[in-house]
PDB file of all heavy atoms in Angstrom:
ATOM      1  N   PHE V 933     117.918  45.083 -37.760  1.00 85.00           N
ATOM      2  CA  PHE V 933     118.847  45.610 -36.719  1.00 85.00           C
ATOM      3  C   PHE V 933     119.978  46.337 -37.040  1.00 85.00           C
ATOM      4  O   PHE V 933     120.897  46.449 -36.426  1.00 85.00           O
ATOM      5  CB  PHE V 933     119.305  44.362 -35.845  1.00 85.00           C
ATOM      6  CG  PHE V 933     118.129  43.594 -35.261  1.00 85.00           C
ATOM      7  CD1 PHE V 933     117.931  42.218 -35.688  1.00 85.00           C
ATOM      8  CD2 PHE V 933     117.359  44.121 -34.379  1.00 85.00           C
ATOM      9  CE1 PHE V 933     116.896  41.520 -35.090  1.00 85.00           C
ATOM     10  CE2 PHE V 933     116.244  43.366 -33.843  1.00 85.00           C
ATOM     11  CZ  PHE V 933     116.050  42.084 -34.148  1.00 85.00           C
ATOM     12  N   THR V 934     120.028  46.954 -38.320  1.00 71.00           N
ATOM     13  CA  THR V 934     121.091  47.820 -38.683  1.00 71.00           C
ATOM     14  C   THR V 934     120.804  49.283 -38.603  1.00 71.00           C
ATOM     15  O   THR V 934     119.594  49.661 -38.531  1.00 71.00           O
ATOM     16  CB  THR V 934     121.403  47.541 -40.186  1.00 71.00           C
ATOM     17  OG1 THR V 934     120.347  47.914 -41.047  1.00 71.00           O
ATOM     18  CG2 THR V 934     121.750  46.075 -40.459  1.00 71.00           C
ATOM     19  N   ASP V 935     121.669  50.065 -38.604  1.00 63.00           N
ATOM     20  CA  ASP V 935     121.508  51.479 -38.476  1.00 63.00           C
ATOM     21  C   ASP V 935     121.273  52.150 -39.822  1.00 63.00           C
ATOM     22  O   ASP V 935     120.814  53.317 -39.941  1.00 63.00           O
ATOM     23  CB  ASP V 935     122.683  52.168 -37.819  1.00 63.00           C
ATOM     24  CG  ASP V 935     122.825  51.902 -36.349  1.00 63.00           C
ATOM     25  OD1 ASP V 935     121.743  51.714 -35.779  1.00 63.00           O
ATOM     26  OD2 ASP V 935     123.951  52.056 -35.855  1.00 63.00           O
ATOM     27  N   SER V 936     121.348  51.333 -40.945  1.00 56.00           N
ATOM     28  CA  SER V 936     121.152  51.947 -42.270  1.00 56.00           C
ATOM     29  C   SER V 936     119.743  51.920 -42.625  1.00 56.00           C
ATOM     30  O   SER V 936     119.117  50.856 -42.614  1.00 56.00           O
ATOM     31  CB  SER V 936     121.919  51.067 -43.322  1.00 56.00           C
ATOM     32  OG  SER V 936     121.645  51.513 -44.506  1.00 56.00           O
ATOM     33  N   LYS V 937     119.195  53.070 -42.991  1.00 53.00           N
ATOM     34  CA  LYS V 937     117.824  53.164 -43.353  1.00 53.00           C
ATOM     35  C   LYS V 937     117.567  53.223 -44.739  1.00 53.00           C
ATOM     36  O   LYS V 937     116.654  53.624 -45.376  1.00 53.00           O
ATOM     37  CB  LYS V 937     117.094  54.306 -42.613  1.00 53.00           C
ATOM     38  CG  LYS V 937     116.854  53.942 -41.144  1.00 53.00           C
ATOM     39  CD  LYS V 937     115.981  54.996 -40.565  1.00 53.00           C
ATOM     40  CE  LYS V 937     114.523  54.666 -40.953  1.00 53.00           C
ATOM     41  NZ  LYS V 937     113.446  55.400 -40.280  1.00 53.00           N
ATOM     42  N   GLU V 938     118.737  52.879 -45.597  1.00 57.00           N
ATOM     43  CA  GLU V 938     118.641  52.863 -47.014  1.00 57.00           C
ATOM     44  C   GLU V 938     117.468  51.902 -47.439  1.00 57.00           C
ATOM     45  O   GLU V 938     117.359  50.855 -47.004  1.00 57.00           O
ATOM     46  CB  GLU V 938     119.905  52.413 -47.652  1.00 57.00           C
ATOM     47  CG  GLU V 938     121.202  53.073 -47.287  1.00 57.00           C
ATOM     48  CD  GLU V 938     122.368  52.341 -47.797  1.00 57.00           C
ATOM     49  OE1 GLU V 938     122.306  51.405 -48.497  1.00 57.00           O
ATOM     50  OE2 GLU V 938     123.503  52.751 -47.349  1.00 57.00           O
ATOM     51  N   ASN V 939     116.653  52.492 -48.359  1.00 50.00           N
ATOM     52  CA  ASN V 939     115.552  51.739 -48.878  1.00 50.00           C
ATOM     53  C   ASN V 939     114.557  51.266 -47.774  1.00 50.00           C
ATOM     54  O   ASN V 939     113.711  50.358 -48.048  1.00 50.00           O
ATOM     55  CB  ASN V 939     116.080  50.526 -49.693  1.00 50.00           C
ATOM     56  CG  ASN V 939     116.968  50.899 -50.711  1.00 50.00           C
ATOM     57  OD1 ASN V 939     116.780  51.878 -51.375  1.00 50.00           O
ATOM     58  ND2 ASN V 939     118.006  50.085 -50.989  1.00 50.00           N
ATOM     59  N   ARG V 940     114.602  51.739 -46.603  1.00 53.00           N
ATOM     60  CA  ARG V 940     113.585  51.300 -45.506  1.00 53.00           C
ATOM     61  C   ARG V 940     113.106  52.543 -44.759  1.00 53.00           C
ATOM     62  O   ARG V 940     112.925  52.475 -43.647  1.00 53.00           O
ATOM     63  CB  ARG V 940     114.415  50.491 -44.488  1.00 53.00           C
ATOM     64  CG  ARG V 940     115.123  49.323 -44.986  1.00 53.00           C
ATOM     65  CD  ARG V 940     115.850  48.567 -43.961  1.00 53.00           C
ATOM     66  NE  ARG V 940     115.117  48.559 -42.742  1.00 53.00           N
ATOM     67  CZ  ARG V 940     115.727  48.882 -41.534  1.00 53.00           C
ATOM     68  NH1 ARG V 940     117.020  49.186 -41.473  1.00 53.00           N
ATOM     69  NH2 ARG V 940     115.106  48.957 -40.444  1.00 53.00           N
ATOM     70  N   THR V 941     112.649  53.485 -45.554  1.00 59.00           N
ATOM     71  CA  THR V 941     112.162  54.722 -44.918  1.00 59.00           C
ATOM     72  C   THR V 941     111.022  54.554 -43.996  1.00 59.00           C
ATOM     73  O   THR V 941     110.814  55.301 -43.058  1.00 59.00           O
ATOM     74  CB  THR V 941     111.812  55.833 -45.944  1.00 59.00           C
ATOM     75  OG1 THR V 941     110.957  55.247 -46.896  1.00 59.00           O
ATOM     76  CG2 THR V 941     113.169  56.269 -46.667  1.00 59.00           C
ATOM     77  N   ASP V 942     110.188  53.509 -44.292  1.00 66.00           N
ATOM     78  CA  ASP V 942     108.874  53.346 -43.534  1.00 66.00           C
ATOM     79  C   ASP V 942     108.997  52.286 -42.506  1.00 66.00           C
ATOM     80  O   ASP V 942     108.123  51.949 -41.798  1.00 66.00           O
ATOM     81  CB  ASP V 942     107.665  53.149 -44.476  1.00 66.00           C
ATOM     82  CG  ASP V 942     107.830  51.863 -45.170  1.00 66.00           C
ATOM     83  OD1 ASP V 942     108.960  51.385 -45.406  1.00 66.00           O
ATOM     84  OD2 ASP V 942     106.794  51.329 -45.666  1.00 66.00           O
ATOM     85  N   GLU V 943     110.180  51.645 -42.425  1.00 77.00           N
ATOM     86  CA  GLU V 943     110.267  50.492 -41.497  1.00 77.00           C
ATOM     87  C   GLU V 943     110.975  50.898 -40.220  1.00 77.00           C
ATOM     88  O   GLU V 943     111.906  51.788 -40.262  1.00 77.00           O
ATOM     89  CB  GLU V 943     111.142  49.299 -42.138  1.00 77.00           C
ATOM     90  CG  GLU V 943     110.340  48.711 -43.314  1.00 77.00           C
ATOM     91  CD  GLU V 943     110.818  47.420 -43.751  1.00 77.00           C
ATOM     92  OE1 GLU V 943     111.682  46.820 -43.002  1.00 77.00           O
ATOM     93  OE2 GLU V 943     110.533  46.978 -44.867  1.00 77.00           O
ATOM     94  N   PRO V 944     110.622  50.354 -39.091  1.00 86.00           N
ATOM     95  CA  PRO V 944     111.274  50.715 -37.938  1.00 86.00           C
ATOM     96  C   PRO V 944     112.721  50.278 -37.814  1.00 86.00           C
ATOM     97  O   PRO V 944     113.098  49.353 -38.299  1.00 86.00           O
ATOM     98  CB  PRO V 944     110.468  49.956 -36.799  1.00 86.00           C
ATOM     99  CG  PRO V 944     109.704  48.899 -37.607  1.00 86.00           C
ATOM    100  CD  PRO V 944     109.624  49.298 -39.016  1.00 86.00           C
ATOM    101  N   GLU V 945     113.472  51.134 -37.113  1.00 89.00           N
ATOM    102  CA  GLU V 945     114.870  50.771 -36.767  1.00 89.00           C
ATOM    103  C   GLU V 945     114.797  49.975 -35.379  1.00 89.00           C
ATOM    104  O   GLU V 945     114.061  50.395 -34.529  1.00 89.00           O
ATOM    105  CB  GLU V 945     115.740  51.976 -36.611  1.00 89.00           C
ATOM    106  CG  GLU V 945     116.144  52.568 -37.883  1.00 89.00           C
ATOM    107  CD  GLU V 945     117.189  53.481 -37.804  1.00 89.00           C
ATOM    108  OE1 GLU V 945     118.374  53.196 -37.352  1.00 89.00           O
ATOM    109  OE2 GLU V 945     116.993  54.659 -38.212  1.00 89.00           O
ATOM    110  N   CYS V 946     115.456  48.921 -35.351  1.00 93.00           N
ATOM    111  CA  CYS V 946     115.368  48.159 -34.059  1.00 93.00           C
ATOM    112  C   CYS V 946     116.826  47.892 -33.517  1.00 93.00           C
ATOM    113  O   CYS V 946     117.793  47.937 -34.246  1.00 93.00           O
ATOM    114  CB  CYS V 946     114.678  46.840 -34.306  1.00 93.00           C
ATOM    115  SG  CYS V 946     113.107  46.884 -35.007  1.00 93.00           S
ATOM    116  N   GLU V 947     116.891  47.603 -32.199  1.00 94.00           N
ATOM    117  CA  GLU V 947     118.217  47.399 -31.641  1.00 94.00           C
ATOM    118  C   GLU V 947     118.122  46.235 -30.676  1.00 94.00           C
ATOM    119  O   GLU V 947     117.151  46.086 -30.004  1.00 94.00           O
ATOM    120  CB  GLU V 947     118.593  48.597 -30.842  1.00 94.00           C
ATOM    121  CG  GLU V 947     120.006  48.456 -30.275  1.00 94.00           C
ATOM    122  CD  GLU V 947     120.489  49.873 -29.638  1.00 94.00           C
ATOM    123  OE1 GLU V 947     119.659  50.599 -29.239  1.00 94.00           O
ATOM    124  OE2 GLU V 947     121.706  50.019 -29.642  1.00 94.00           O
ATOM    125  N   ILE V 948     119.061  45.332 -30.721  1.00 94.00           N
ATOM    126  CA  ILE V 948     119.242  44.187 -29.860  1.00 94.00           C
ATOM    127  C   ILE V 948     119.908  44.547 -28.517  1.00 94.00           C
ATOM    128  O   ILE V 948     120.994  45.188 -28.596  1.00 94.00           O
ATOM    129  CB  ILE V 948     120.028  43.034 -30.543  1.00 94.00           C
ATOM    130  CG1 ILE V 948     119.275  42.615 -31.829  1.00 94.00           C
ATOM    131  CG2 ILE V 948     120.121  41.837 -29.569  1.00 94.00           C
ATOM    132  CD1 ILE V 948     120.033  41.562 -32.648  1.00 94.00           C
ATOM    133  N   LEU V 949     119.309  44.149 -27.446  1.00 95.00           N
ATOM    134  CA  LEU V 949     119.867  44.404 -26.144  1.00 95.00           C
ATOM    135  C   LEU V 949     119.929  43.068 -25.442  1.00 95.00           C
ATOM    136  O   LEU V 949     118.922  42.341 -25.522  1.00 95.00           O
ATOM    137  CB  LEU V 949     119.116  45.435 -25.354  1.00 95.00           C
ATOM    138  CG  LEU V 949     118.967  46.783 -25.989  1.00 95.00           C
ATOM    139  CD1 LEU V 949     117.895  47.647 -25.140  1.00 95.00           C
ATOM    140  CD2 LEU V 949     120.291  47.532 -26.043  1.00 95.00           C
ATOM    141  N   GLN V 950     120.841  42.825 -24.676  1.00 94.00           N
ATOM    142  CA  GLN V 950     120.945  41.564 -23.738  1.00 94.00           C
ATOM    143  C   GLN V 950     120.278  41.973 -22.418  1.00 94.00           C
ATOM    144  O   GLN V 950     120.474  43.052 -21.870  1.00 94.00           O
ATOM    145  CB  GLN V 950     122.386  41.183 -23.527  1.00 94.00           C
ATOM    146  CG  GLN V 950     123.064  40.729 -24.750  1.00 94.00           C
ATOM    147  CD  GLN V 950     122.644  39.404 -25.239  1.00 94.00           C
ATOM    148  OE1 GLN V 950     122.117  38.499 -24.520  1.00 94.00           O
ATOM    149  NE2 GLN V 950     122.746  39.220 -26.556  1.00 94.00           N
TER     150      GLN V 950
END
Side-chain angles (χ1 to χ4, degrees):
F933 299 115
T934 64
D935 287 334
S936 171
K937 287 194 76 169
E938 301 170 14
N939 304 322
R940 298 179 37 228
T941 55
D942 65 336
E943 292 193 18
E945 286 190 58
C946 303
E947 183 172 28
I948 298 173
L949 304 169
Q950 295 289 330

